[in-house]
Coordinates of all heavy atoms in Angstrom, one line a residue:
R160 N 36.5 29.7 172.9 CA 37.7 29.0 173.2 C 37.3 27.9 174.2 O 36.6 28.1 175.2 CB 38.7 29.9 173.9 CG 40.0 29.2 174.4 CD 40.9 30.2 175.0 NE 42.1 29.6 175.5 CZ 42.2 29.1 176.8 NH1 41.2 29.3 177.7 NH2 43.3 28.5 177.2
V161 N 37.8 26.7 173.8 CA 37.5 25.6 174.7 C 38.8 25.1 175.5 O 39.9 25.0 174.8 CB 37.0 24.3 173.8 CG1 36.8 23.1 174.5 CG2 35.9 24.7 172.9
E162 N 38.6 24.9 176.8 CA 39.8 24.6 177.7 C 39.4 23.3 178.3 O 38.3 23.1 178.9 CB 40.0 25.7 178.7 CG 41.1 25.4 179.7 CD 41.1 26.4 180.8 OE1 40.3 27.3 180.8 OE2 42.0 26.1 181.7
E163 N 40.4 22.3 178.3 CA 40.3 21.1 179.0 C 40.7 21.3 180.4 O 41.6 22.0 180.7 CB 41.0 20.0 178.3 CG 41.1 18.7 179.1 CD 42.0 17.6 178.5 OE1 42.3 17.7 177.2 OE2 42.4 16.7 179.2
I164 N 39.9 20.7 181.4 CA 40.3 20.7 182.9 C 40.3 19.4 183.5 O 39.6 18.5 182.9 CB 39.4 21.7 183.6 CG1 38.0 21.3 183.6 CG2 39.6 23.2 183.0 CD1 37.0 22.0 184.5
W165 N 41.0 19.2 184.4 CA 40.9 18.0 185.4 C 40.7 18.5 186.8 O 41.4 19.5 187.1 CB 42.1 17.2 185.2 CG 42.2 16.3 184.0 CD1 42.7 16.8 182.8 CD2 41.8 15.1 183.8 NE1 42.7 15.8 181.9 CE2 42.2 14.7 182.4 CE3 41.2 14.0 184.7 CZ2 41.8 13.5 181.9 CZ3 41.0 12.8 184.0 CH2 41.2 12.4 182.8
Y166 N 39.9 18.0 187.6 CA 39.7 18.4 188.9 C 39.4 17.2 189.8 O 39.1 16.2 189.3 CB 38.5 19.4 189.0 CG 37.3 18.8 188.4 CD1 36.3 18.4 189.4 CD2 36.9 19.1 187.2 CE1 35.1 17.9 189.0 CE2 35.7 18.6 186.7 CZ 34.8 18.0 187.6 OH 33.6 17.6 187.1
I175 N 38.4 13.9 187.6 CA 37.4 14.0 186.7 C 37.7 15.0 185.5 O 38.4 16.0 185.9 CB 36.0 14.6 187.4 CG1 35.8 13.7 188.5 CG2 34.9 14.7 186.4 CD1 35.4 12.2 188.3
Q176 N 37.5 14.6 184.4 CA 37.8 15.4 183.2 C 36.7 16.3 182.7 O 35.5 15.7 182.7 CB 38.4 14.5 182.1 CG 38.9 15.2 180.7 CD 39.3 14.3 179.7 OE1 38.8 13.2 179.6 NE2 40.2 14.7 178.9
G177 N 36.9 17.4 182.2 CA 35.8 18.3 181.8 C 36.4 19.3 180.8 O 37.6 19.5 180.6
W178 N 35.5 20.1 180.3 CA 35.9 21.1 179.3 C 35.0 22.3 179.5 O 33.8 22.3 180.0 CB 35.6 20.7 177.8 CG 36.5 19.6 177.4 CD1 37.6 19.7 176.7 CD2 36.4 18.2 177.6 NE1 38.2 18.5 176.4 CE2 37.5 17.6 177.0 CE3 35.5 17.4 178.4 CZ2 37.8 16.2 177.1 CZ3 35.7 16.0 178.4 CH2 36.8 15.5 177.8
I179 N 35.6 23.5 179.3 CA 35.0 24.9 179.4 C 35.0 25.5 178.1 O 36.0 25.6 177.5 CB 35.7 25.7 180.5 CG1 35.8 25.0 181.8 CG2 34.9 27.0 180.7 CD1 36.8 25.5 182.8
V180 N 33.9 26.0 177.7 CA 33.7 26.9 176.6 C 33.6 28.3 177.0 O 32.5 28.6 177.8 CB 32.5 26.5 175.6 CG1 32.6 27.3 174.4 CG2 32.6 25.0 175.3
Q181 N 34.3 29.3 176.6 CA 34.2 30.7 176.9 C 33.5 31.5 175.7 O 33.6 31.0 174.7 CB 35.5 31.4 177.1 CG 36.3 30.7 178.3 CD 37.8 31.3 178.2 OE1 38.2 32.1 177.4 NE2 38.5 31.0 179.4
P182 N 32.7 32.4 176.0 CA 32.1 33.2 175.0 C 33.2 33.8 174.1 O 34.3 34.1 174.6 CB 31.3 34.3 175.8 CG 31.1 33.7 177.1 CD 32.3 32.8 177.4
P192 N 27.1 34.3 183.2 CA 26.3 33.2 183.7 C 27.0 31.9 183.1 O 27.6 31.8 182.1 CB 25.0 33.4 183.0 CG 25.3 34.2 181.8 CD 26.5 35.1 182.2
L193 N 26.7 30.9 184.1 CA 27.4 29.5 183.8 C 26.3 28.5 183.5 O 25.2 28.4 184.3 CB 28.3 29.1 185.0 CG 28.8 27.7 185.0 CD1 29.8 27.5 183.8 CD2 29.4 27.4 186.3
I194 N 26.4 27.7 182.4 CA 25.6 26.6 182.2 C 26.5 25.4 182.5 O 27.6 25.1 182.0 CB 25.1 26.6 180.7 CG1 24.1 27.7 180.4 CG2 24.5 25.2 180.4 CD1 23.6 27.8 179.1
L195 N 25.9 24.4 183.3 CA 26.5 23.2 183.5 C 25.6 22.1 182.7 O 24.6 21.9 183.1 CB 26.5 22.7 185.1 CG 26.8 21.3 185.4 CD1 28.3 20.9 184.9 CD2 26.6 21.0 186.8
E196 N 26.3 21.6 181.7 CA 25.6 20.6 180.9 C 26.0 19.2 181.3 O 27.1 18.9 181.4 CB 26.0 20.9 179.3 CG 25.8 19.7 178.4 CD 24.3 19.8 177.8 OE1 23.5 20.5 178.4 OE2 24.1 19.2 176.8
I197 N 24.9 18.3 181.4 CA 25.1 17.0 181.9 C 24.7 16.1 180.8 O 23.6 16.1 180.4 CB 24.3 16.8 183.1 CG1 24.6 17.8 184.2 CG2 24.6 15.3 183.6 CD1 23.6 17.7 185.5
H198 N 25.7 15.1 180.5 CA 25.2 14.3 179.4 C 24.4 13.1 179.8 O 24.4 12.8 181.0 CB 26.5 13.7 178.6 CG 27.3 12.6 179.4 ND1 26.7 11.4 179.8 CD2 28.6 12.7 179.7 CE1 27.7 10.8 180.4 NE2 28.9 11.6 180.5
Y205 N 31.5 13.1 176.9 CA 31.9 14.3 176.2 C 33.4 14.2 175.8 O 34.1 13.4 176.4 CB 31.7 15.5 177.1 CG 30.3 15.9 177.3 CD1 29.8 16.3 178.6 CD2 29.4 16.1 176.2 CE1 28.5 16.6 178.8 CE2 28.1 16.4 176.4 CZ 27.6 16.8 177.7 OH 26.3 17.1 177.9
D210 N 31.4 21.0 169.5 CA 30.0 20.8 170.0 C 29.3 22.1 169.6 O 29.3 23.2 170.3 CB 30.2 20.6 171.5 CG 28.8 20.1 172.0 OD1 27.8 20.7 171.7 OD2 28.9 19.1 172.8
K213 N 26.8 23.8 172.4 CA 27.6 24.5 173.4 C 28.2 25.8 172.9 O 28.3 26.8 173.5 CB 28.5 23.7 174.1 CG 27.8 22.5 174.9 CD 28.9 21.5 175.3 CE 28.2 20.2 175.9 NZ 27.3 19.6 175.1
W216 N 25.4 28.4 172.8 CA 25.3 29.1 174.2 C 26.4 30.0 174.5 O 26.2 31.0 175.0 CB 25.2 27.9 175.3 CG 23.9 27.0 175.2 CD1 22.8 27.4 174.6 CD2 23.9 25.7 175.6 NE1 22.0 26.3 174.7 CE2 22.5 25.3 175.3 CE3 24.8 24.8 176.3 CZ2 22.1 24.0 175.6 CZ3 24.3 23.6 176.7 CH2 23.0 23.1 176.3
A217 N 27.6 29.6 174.1 CA 28.8 30.5 174.4 C 28.6 31.8 173.6 O 28.9 32.9 174.1 CB 30.0 29.8 174.0
Y221 N 27.2 32.8 177.5 CA 27.3 31.9 178.7 C 28.7 31.2 178.7 O 29.2 30.9 177.6 CB 26.3 30.7 178.5 CG 24.8 31.1 178.9 CD1 24.1 31.5 177.7 CD2 24.4 31.3 180.1 CE1 22.7 31.9 178.0 CE2 23.0 31.5 180.3 CZ 22.2 31.9 179.4 OH 20.9 32.3 179.5
V222 N 29.2 31.1 179.8 CA 30.3 30.1 180.1 C 29.7 28.7 180.1 O 28.7 28.6 181.0 CB 31.2 30.4 181.3 CG1 32.2 29.3 181.6 CG2 31.9 31.8 181.1
V223 N 30.1 27.7 179.4 CA 29.6 26.4 179.4 C 30.6 25.4 180.1 O 31.7 25.3 179.5 CB 29.1 26.0 178.0 CG1 28.5 24.7 178.1 CG2 28.3 27.1 177.4
L224 N 30.1 24.7 181.0 CA 31.0 23.6 181.5 C 30.4 22.2 181.3 O 29.1 22.1 181.5 CB 31.1 23.8 183.1 CG 31.8 22.6 183.9 CD1 33.3 22.5 183.5 CD2 31.6 22.8 185.4
Y225 N 31.1 21.3 180.7 CA 30.6 19.9 180.6 C 31.7 18.9 180.9 O 32.8 19.1 180.6 CB 30.1 19.7 179.1 CG 31.0 20.1 178.0 CD1 31.7 19.1 177.2 CD2 31.2 21.5 177.6 CE1 32.5 19.6 176.3 CE2 32.1 21.8 176.6 CZ 32.7 20.8 175.8 OH 33.5 21.2 174.8
T226 N 31.4 17.9 181.7 CA 32.3 16.9 182.3 C 31.9 15.6 182.1 O 30.8 15.2 181.7 CB 32.5 17.3 183.7 OG1 31.4 16.7 184.6 CG2 32.6 18.8 184.1
N227 N 32.8 14.7 182.4 CA 32.6 13.2 182.4 C 32.6 12.6 183.8 O 33.6 12.2 184.3 CB 33.6 12.6 181.3 CG 33.4 12.8 180.0 OD1 32.2 12.9 179.6 ND2 34.4 12.8 179.2
P228 N 31.5 12.8 184.5 CA 31.5 12.2 185.8 C 31.5 10.6 185.9 O 31.4 10.1 184.8 CB 30.1 12.7 186.4 CG 29.2 12.7 185.2 CD 30.2 13.2 184.1
D253 N 30.7 14.6 191.6 CA 31.6 14.9 190.5 C 31.2 16.1 189.8 O 32.0 17.0 189.4 CB 31.6 13.8 189.5 CG 32.0 12.4 190.2 OD1 32.7 12.4 191.3 OD2 32.0 11.3 189.6
L254 N 29.9 16.2 189.4 CA 29.4 17.4 188.7 C 29.5 18.7 189.5 O 29.9 19.7 189.0 CB 28.0 17.2 188.3 CG 27.8 16.0 187.2 CD1 26.3 15.6 187.3 CD2 28.2 16.4 185.9
N255 N 29.1 18.6 190.8 CA 29.1 19.8 191.7 C 30.5 20.3 191.9 O 30.6 21.5 192.0 CB 28.3 19.5 192.8 CG 27.9 20.7 193.7 OD1 27.4 21.6 193.1 ND2 28.2 20.8 194.9
S256 N 31.5 19.4 192.0 CA 32.8 19.8 192.1 C 33.3 20.6 190.9 O 34.2 21.5 191.1 CB 33.7 18.6 192.6 OG 33.3 17.9 193.7
G257 N 32.9 20.2 189.8 CA 33.4 20.9 188.5 C 32.8 22.3 188.6 O 33.5 23.2 188.2
A258 N 31.5 22.4 188.9 CA 31.0 23.7 189.0 C 31.6 24.6 190.0 O 31.8 25.8 189.7 CB 29.4 23.6 189.2
S259 N 32.0 24.0 191.1 CA 32.6 24.8 192.2 C 33.9 25.3 191.8 O 34.5 26.3 192.4 CB 32.8 23.9 193.4 OG 31.6 23.5 193.9
T260 N 34.6 24.7 190.7 CA 36.0 25.2 190.3 C 35.7 26.6 189.6 O 36.7 27.3 189.4 CB 36.6 24.3 189.4 OG1 35.8 24.0 188.1 CG2 36.8 22.9 190.0
L261 N 34.5 27.0 189.1 CA 34.2 28.1 188.3 C 33.4 29.1 189.1 O 33.2 30.2 188.7 CB 33.6 27.7 187.0 CG 34.4 26.8 186.1 CD1 33.5 26.6 184.8 CD2 35.8 27.4 185.7
W262 N 32.6 28.7 190.1 CA 31.6 29.5 190.7 C 31.6 29.4 192.2 O 31.5 28.2 192.7 CB 30.3 29.1 190.1 CG 29.0 29.9 190.6 CD1 28.6 31.1 190.2 CD2 28.2 29.5 191.7 NE1 27.5 31.5 190.9 CE2 27.2 30.6 191.8 CE3 28.1 28.4 192.6 CZ2 26.2 30.5 192.8 CZ3 27.2 28.3 193.5 CH2 26.1 29.4 193.7
A266 N 31.1 33.3 187.7 CA 29.8 33.1 187.0 C 28.6 33.7 188.1 O 28.9 33.8 189.3 CB 29.4 31.7 186.7
S268 N 25.2 32.5 187.9 CA 24.2 31.6 188.1 C 24.6 30.3 187.4 O 25.4 30.3 186.6 CB 22.8 32.0 187.6 OG 22.9 32.3 186.3
I269 N 23.9 29.2 187.8 CA 24.3 27.9 187.2 C 23.0 27.2 186.8 O 22.5 26.4 187.4 CB 24.9 27.0 188.3 CG1 26.1 27.7 188.9 CG2 25.5 25.8 187.5 CD1 26.9 26.8 189.9
P270 N 22.6 27.5 185.5 CA 21.5 26.7 184.9 C 22.1 25.3 184.6 O 23.2 25.1 184.2 CB 21.2 27.4 183.6 CG 21.8 28.8 183.7 CD 22.9 28.6 184.6
T271 N 21.3 24.2 184.9 CA 21.7 22.9 184.6 C 20.9 22.3 183.6 O 19.7 22.2 183.6 CB 21.6 22.0 186.0 OG1 22.4 22.6 186.9 CG2 22.0 20.6 185.6
I272 N 21.5 21.8 182.5 CA 20.7 21.2 181.3 C 21.2 19.8 181.1 O 22.4 19.6 181.0 CB 20.9 22.0 180.1 CG1 20.5 23.5 180.3 CG2 20.2 21.4 178.9 CD1 20.8 24.5 179.2

Side-chain angles (χ1 to χ4, degrees):
R160 178 177 177 270
V161 180
E162 176 186 358
E163 178 184 336
I164 62 170
W165 288 84
Y166 60 91
I175 305 296
Q176 186 182 25
W178 291 263
I179 304 166
V180 187
Q181 298 175 351
L193 171 66
I194 291 178
L195 170 61
E196 164 86 342
I197 305 170
H198 71 63
Y205 287 134
D210 197 309
K213 296 171 185 58
W216 293 336
Y221 290 93
V222 171
V223 185
L224 171 66
Y225 50 108
T226 76
N227 285 332
D253 299 345
L254 295 161
N255 199 45
S256 296
S259 296
T260 64
L261 301 181
W262 180 83
S268 61
I269 309 180
T271 300
I272 299 174

